[in-house]
Amino acid sequence: PRLLSQFFFADERVTRVVAEINGLDAELDPQQYLVLLNQLHLSQAHLLAVLERIMEECIPTQRHSRDYLVKFPEELLVDNLGNHMLFAAECLLAGTFPEVEEADRAQLRPQARNLLCSLELVRTVLREQSLSQPNSYPEPVRAVLVQFDRLFAEFELSYVSSLVAVKSPEEIYRQQEIIVLFCETVERALHLGYLTQEMIDGYEPLLMFTIPRLAIISGLLIYPEGPLSLERSPEEMSRVFSPFYNLLKKIRELLRVLSVEELCLLERSLCTAE
């Protein structure tokens, strides 16, 4: 159950697979080469997972901030993102990463080199610690982990920023506005009896359609200064709604002529219509 013992055997597995790859002629046995590459990918992912648990146990209050992850596109936020970062660093040092522009590669290579050197140091230190005192983390071990955690975070942010357009602070704020709008919409719908707490607790599938529909009405009429404010230009709105700017203006015009009773009837119908 000791994490350092788990790390020792995970590290042994990575070392063994690397040795097998280095001793194989990929041109003579390409199929076996691909098998070993997959094994390396899996063993490195396991090694990083154990290392992550060690850092959470050893330096929980000294971890480098990961607040920047909110800027990343959602499709990048996968469980094995760390393993992708390690692979990217190795490719950058090997000069085999055409997806990154040359100017960015020149900037990323020193970061990749520092990251991989730091990882090797971590592996060495933790192996020695696992063989001597597997139940403790002395200060030199903590210092090495803190440095690795910082270098990993810095490389991750720089690398992803070179590949995709990360969200700006303004876009993040607009998304937070939408979250607030949806929360207030649900609270209002519960108060008016359009929805029940049981529907929410039971993850009623109809809510996927009902809540956005009600949120549009709330955003246009109830909270007109929120993320659906049409006093802004389309460029100032969230990308979720900006393509429908003209349509939203037409919807607002129609809603404004409804009486209170008619609006209530419309909202109730939106809670049942598919």
PDB file of all heavy atoms in Angstrom, residues 11-25 36 40 43 123:
ATOM      1  N   ASP A  11       8.225   2.524 -11.813  1.00  0.00           N
ATOM      2  CA  ASP A  11       9.454   3.005 -12.441  1.00  0.00           C
ATOM      3  C   ASP A  11      10.234   1.848 -13.074  1.00  0.00           C
ATOM      4  O   ASP A  11      10.797   1.990 -14.160  1.00  0.00           O
ATOM      5  CB  ASP A  11      10.312   3.716 -11.399  1.00  0.00           C
ATOM      6  CG  ASP A  11      11.521   4.392 -12.017  1.00  0.00           C
ATOM      7  OD1 ASP A  11      11.346   5.423 -12.661  1.00  0.00           O
ATOM      8  OD2 ASP A  11      12.635   3.856 -11.853  1.00  0.00           O
ATOM      9  N   GLU A  12      10.245   0.708 -12.394  1.00  0.00           N
ATOM     10  CA  GLU A  12      10.899  -0.480 -12.947  1.00  0.00           C
ATOM     11  C   GLU A  12      10.263  -0.880 -14.274  1.00  0.00           C
ATOM     12  O   GLU A  12      10.962  -1.252 -15.221  1.00  0.00           O
ATOM     13  CB  GLU A  12      10.784  -1.638 -11.956  1.00  0.00           C
ATOM     14  CG  GLU A  12      11.744  -1.546 -10.784  1.00  0.00           C
ATOM     15  CD  GLU A  12      13.121  -2.083 -11.150  1.00  0.00           C
ATOM     16  OE1 GLU A  12      13.283  -3.303 -11.245  1.00  0.00           O
ATOM     17  OE2 GLU A  12      14.024  -1.243 -11.357  1.00  0.00           O
ATOM     18  N   ARG A  13       8.949  -0.788 -14.336  1.00  0.00           N
ATOM     19  CA  ARG A  13       8.230  -1.159 -15.559  1.00  0.00           C
ATOM     20  C   ARG A  13       8.607  -0.228 -16.713  1.00  0.00           C
ATOM     21  O   ARG A  13       8.867  -0.688 -17.836  1.00  0.00           O
ATOM     22  CB  ARG A  13       6.721  -1.108 -15.299  1.00  0.00           C
ATOM     23  CG  ARG A  13       5.853  -1.408 -16.509  1.00  0.00           C
ATOM     24  CD  ARG A  13       6.105  -2.785 -17.065  1.00  0.00           C
ATOM     25  NE  ARG A  13       5.230  -3.090 -18.190  1.00  0.00           N
ATOM     26  CZ  ARG A  13       5.417  -4.092 -19.027  1.00  0.00           C
ATOM     27  NH1 ARG A  13       6.463  -4.902 -18.870  1.00  0.00           N
ATOM     28  NH2 ARG A  13       4.577  -4.304 -20.009  1.00  0.00           N
ATOM     29  N   VAL A  14       8.653   1.064 -16.464  1.00  0.00           N
ATOM     30  CA  VAL A  14       9.030   2.014 -17.511  1.00  0.00           C
ATOM     31  C   VAL A  14      10.453   1.733 -17.996  1.00  0.00           C
ATOM     32  O   VAL A  14      10.730   1.705 -19.199  1.00  0.00           O
ATOM     33  CB  VAL A  14       8.918   3.464 -16.993  1.00  0.00           C
ATOM     34  CG1 VAL A  14       9.521   4.446 -18.007  1.00  0.00           C
ATOM     35  CG2 VAL A  14       7.455   3.825 -16.715  1.00  0.00           C
ATOM     36  N   THR A  15      11.363   1.525 -17.053  1.00  0.00           N
ATOM     37  CA  THR A  15      12.758   1.257 -17.407  1.00  0.00           C
ATOM     38  C   THR A  15      12.884   0.001 -18.259  1.00  0.00           C
ATOM     39  O   THR A  15      13.640  -0.034 -19.245  1.00  0.00           O
ATOM     40  CB  THR A  15      13.604   1.101 -16.135  1.00  0.00           C
ATOM     41  OG1 THR A  15      13.501   2.306 -15.358  1.00  0.00           O
ATOM     42  CG2 THR A  15      15.063   0.865 -16.481  1.00  0.00           C
ATOM     43  N   ARG A  16      12.122  -1.028 -17.911  1.00  0.00           N
ATOM     44  CA  ARG A  16      12.195  -2.293 -18.641  1.00  0.00           C
ATOM     45  C   ARG A  16      11.667  -2.139 -20.073  1.00  0.00           C
ATOM     46  O   ARG A  16      12.264  -2.645 -21.035  1.00  0.00           O
ATOM     47  CB  ARG A  16      11.406  -3.370 -17.898  1.00  0.00           C
ATOM     48  CG  ARG A  16      11.523  -4.755 -18.511  1.00  0.00           C
ATOM     49  CD  ARG A  16      11.070  -5.828 -17.549  1.00  0.00           C
ATOM     50  NE  ARG A  16       9.667  -5.665 -17.158  1.00  0.00           N
ATOM     51  CZ  ARG A  16       9.290  -5.298 -15.942  1.00  0.00           C
ATOM     52  NH1 ARG A  16      10.191  -5.020 -15.007  1.00  0.00           N
ATOM     53  NH2 ARG A  16       8.012  -5.196 -15.641  1.00  0.00           N
ATOM     54  N   VAL A  17      10.560  -1.421 -20.237  1.00  0.00           N
ATOM     55  CA  VAL A  17       9.989  -1.236 -21.572  1.00  0.00           C
ATOM     56  C   VAL A  17      10.920  -0.399 -22.445  1.00  0.00           C
ATOM     57  O   VAL A  17      11.120  -0.699 -23.623  1.00  0.00           O
ATOM     58  CB  VAL A  17       8.591  -0.589 -21.480  1.00  0.00           C
ATOM     59  CG1 VAL A  17       8.052  -0.287 -22.874  1.00  0.00           C
ATOM     60  CG2 VAL A  17       7.629  -1.495 -20.733  1.00  0.00           C
ATOM     61  N   VAL A  18      11.506   0.642 -21.859  1.00  0.00           N
ATOM     62  CA  VAL A  18      12.450   1.479 -22.612  1.00  0.00           C
ATOM     63  C   VAL A  18      13.637   0.648 -23.083  1.00  0.00           C
ATOM     64  O   VAL A  18      14.109   0.780 -24.224  1.00  0.00           O
ATOM     65  CB  VAL A  18      12.922   2.673 -21.761  1.00  0.00           C
ATOM     66  CG1 VAL A  18      14.079   3.402 -22.438  1.00  0.00           C
ATOM     67  CG2 VAL A  18      11.766   3.646 -21.518  1.00  0.00           C
ATOM     68  N   ALA A  19      14.133  -0.232 -22.217  1.00  0.00           N
ATOM     69  CA  ALA A  19      15.262  -1.084 -22.584  1.00  0.00           C
ATOM     70  C   ALA A  19      14.886  -2.011 -23.738  1.00  0.00           C
ATOM     71  O   ALA A  19      15.684  -2.245 -24.661  1.00  0.00           O
ATOM     72  CB  ALA A  19      15.713  -1.898 -21.375  1.00  0.00           C
ATOM     73  N   GLU A  20      13.662  -2.533 -23.716  1.00  0.00           N
ATOM     74  CA  GLU A  20      13.212  -3.400 -24.802  1.00  0.00           C
ATOM     75  C   GLU A  20      13.109  -2.634 -26.115  1.00  0.00           C
ATOM     76  O   GLU A  20      13.461  -3.155 -27.179  1.00  0.00           O
ATOM     77  CB  GLU A  20      11.869  -4.028 -24.443  1.00  0.00           C
ATOM     78  CG  GLU A  20      11.923  -5.041 -23.313  1.00  0.00           C
ATOM     79  CD  GLU A  20      10.565  -5.679 -23.072  1.00  0.00           C
ATOM     80  OE1 GLU A  20       9.885  -6.032 -24.054  1.00  0.00           O
ATOM     81  OE2 GLU A  20      10.181  -5.817 -21.894  1.00  0.00           O
ATOM     82  N   ILE A  21      12.624  -1.400 -26.045  1.00  0.00           N
ATOM     83  CA  ILE A  21      12.516  -0.589 -27.261  1.00  0.00           C
ATOM     84  C   ILE A  21      13.895  -0.280 -27.821  1.00  0.00           C
ATOM     85  O   ILE A  21      14.129  -0.373 -29.038  1.00  0.00           O
ATOM     86  CB  ILE A  21      11.744   0.718 -26.956  1.00  0.00           C
ATOM     87  CG1 ILE A  21      10.272   0.411 -26.671  1.00  0.00           C
ATOM     88  CG2 ILE A  21      11.854   1.698 -28.129  1.00  0.00           C
ATOM     89  CD1 ILE A  21       9.457   1.622 -26.277  1.00  0.00           C
ATOM     90  N   ASN A  22      14.819   0.084 -26.955  1.00  0.00           N
ATOM     91  CA  ASN A  22      16.168   0.407 -27.412  1.00  0.00           C
ATOM     92  C   ASN A  22      16.879  -0.800 -28.012  1.00  0.00           C
ATOM     93  O   ASN A  22      17.764  -0.652 -28.862  1.00  0.00           O
ATOM     94  CB  ASN A  22      16.995   0.959 -26.242  1.00  0.00           C
ATOM     95  CG  ASN A  22      16.511   2.332 -25.797  1.00  0.00           C
ATOM     96  OD1 ASN A  22      15.878   3.058 -26.573  1.00  0.00           O
ATOM     97  ND2 ASN A  22      16.784   2.682 -24.559  1.00  0.00           N
ATOM     98  N   GLY A  23      16.509  -1.992 -27.588  1.00  0.00           N
ATOM     99  CA  GLY A  23      17.150  -3.189 -28.117  1.00  0.00           C
ATOM    100  C   GLY A  23      16.451  -3.793 -29.314  1.00  0.00           C
ATOM    101  O   GLY A  23      16.854  -4.863 -29.797  1.00  0.00           O
ATOM    102  N   LEU A  24      15.418  -3.125 -29.821  1.00  0.00           N
ATOM    103  CA  LEU A  24      14.635  -3.652 -30.934  1.00  0.00           C
ATOM    104  C   LEU A  24      14.904  -2.866 -32.208  1.00  0.00           C
ATOM    105  O   LEU A  24      15.014  -1.637 -32.174  1.00  0.00           O
ATOM    106  CB  LEU A  24      13.141  -3.589 -30.599  1.00  0.00           C
ATOM    107  CG  LEU A  24      12.160  -4.122 -31.654  1.00  0.00           C
ATOM    108  CD1 LEU A  24      12.258  -5.642 -31.740  1.00  0.00           C
ATOM    109  CD2 LEU A  24      10.734  -3.693 -31.326  1.00  0.00           C
ATOM    110  N   ASP A  25      15.002  -3.558 -33.311  1.00  0.00           N
ATOM    111  CA  ASP A  25      15.116  -2.920 -34.629  1.00  0.00           C
ATOM    112  C   ASP A  25      13.711  -2.701 -35.160  1.00  0.00           C
ATOM    113  O   ASP A  25      13.042  -3.653 -35.585  1.00  0.00           O
ATOM    114  CB  ASP A  25      15.926  -3.797 -35.586  1.00  0.00           C
ATOM    115  CG  ASP A  25      16.284  -3.052 -36.871  1.00  0.00           C
ATOM    116  OD1 ASP A  25      15.481  -2.201 -37.304  1.00  0.00           O
ATOM    117  OD2 ASP A  25      17.358  -3.319 -37.436  1.00  0.00           O
ATOM    118  N   LEU A  36       5.338  -2.289 -28.117  1.00  0.00           N
ATOM    119  CA  LEU A  36       6.159  -1.750 -27.033  1.00  0.00           C
ATOM    120  C   LEU A  36       5.874  -0.271 -26.790  1.00  0.00           C
ATOM    121  O   LEU A  36       5.899   0.198 -25.646  1.00  0.00           O
ATOM    122  CB  LEU A  36       7.640  -1.965 -27.345  1.00  0.00           C
ATOM    123  CG  LEU A  36       8.133  -3.415 -27.274  1.00  0.00           C
ATOM    124  CD1 LEU A  36       9.585  -3.511 -27.728  1.00  0.00           C
ATOM    125  CD2 LEU A  36       7.981  -3.969 -25.859  1.00  0.00           C
ATOM    126  N   LEU A  40       4.793   1.352 -23.356  1.00  0.00           N
ATOM    127  CA  LEU A  40       5.488   2.497 -22.763  1.00  0.00           C
ATOM    128  C   LEU A  40       4.493   3.590 -22.388  1.00  0.00           C
ATOM    129  O   LEU A  40       4.594   4.188 -21.306  1.00  0.00           O
ATOM    130  CB  LEU A  40       6.533   3.034 -23.737  1.00  0.00           C
ATOM    131  CG  LEU A  40       7.313   4.274 -23.264  1.00  0.00           C
ATOM    132  CD1 LEU A  40       8.095   3.970 -21.995  1.00  0.00           C
ATOM    133  CD2 LEU A  40       8.247   4.772 -24.370  1.00  0.00           C
ATOM    134  N   SER A  43       2.637   2.421 -19.264  1.00  0.00           N
ATOM    135  CA  SER A  43       3.476   2.383 -18.066  1.00  0.00           C
ATOM    136  C   SER A  43       3.852   3.788 -17.607  1.00  0.00           C
ATOM    137  O   SER A  43       3.921   4.058 -16.403  1.00  0.00           O
ATOM    138  CB  SER A  43       4.736   1.546 -18.321  1.00  0.00           C
ATOM    139  OG  SER A  43       5.499   2.084 -19.389  1.00  0.00           O
ATOM    140  N   ARG A 123      12.669  10.642 -10.387  1.00  0.00           N
ATOM    141  CA  ARG A 123      12.693   9.175 -10.423  1.00  0.00           C
ATOM    142  C   ARG A 123      13.874   8.625  -9.606  1.00  0.00           C
ATOM    143  O   ARG A 123      13.728   7.671  -8.848  1.00  0.00           O
ATOM    144  CB  ARG A 123      12.772   8.685 -11.873  1.00  0.00           C
ATOM    145  CG  ARG A 123      11.503   8.952 -12.675  1.00  0.00           C
ATOM    146  CD  ARG A 123      11.663   8.526 -14.123  1.00  0.00           C
ATOM    147  NE  ARG A 123      11.887   7.080 -14.242  1.00  0.00           N
ATOM    148  CZ  ARG A 123      12.120   6.463 -15.402  1.00  0.00           C
ATOM    149  NH1 ARG A 123      12.170   7.171 -16.529  1.00  0.00           N
ATOM    150  NH2 ARG A 123      12.306   5.148 -15.428  1.00  0.00           N
TER     151      ARG A 123
END
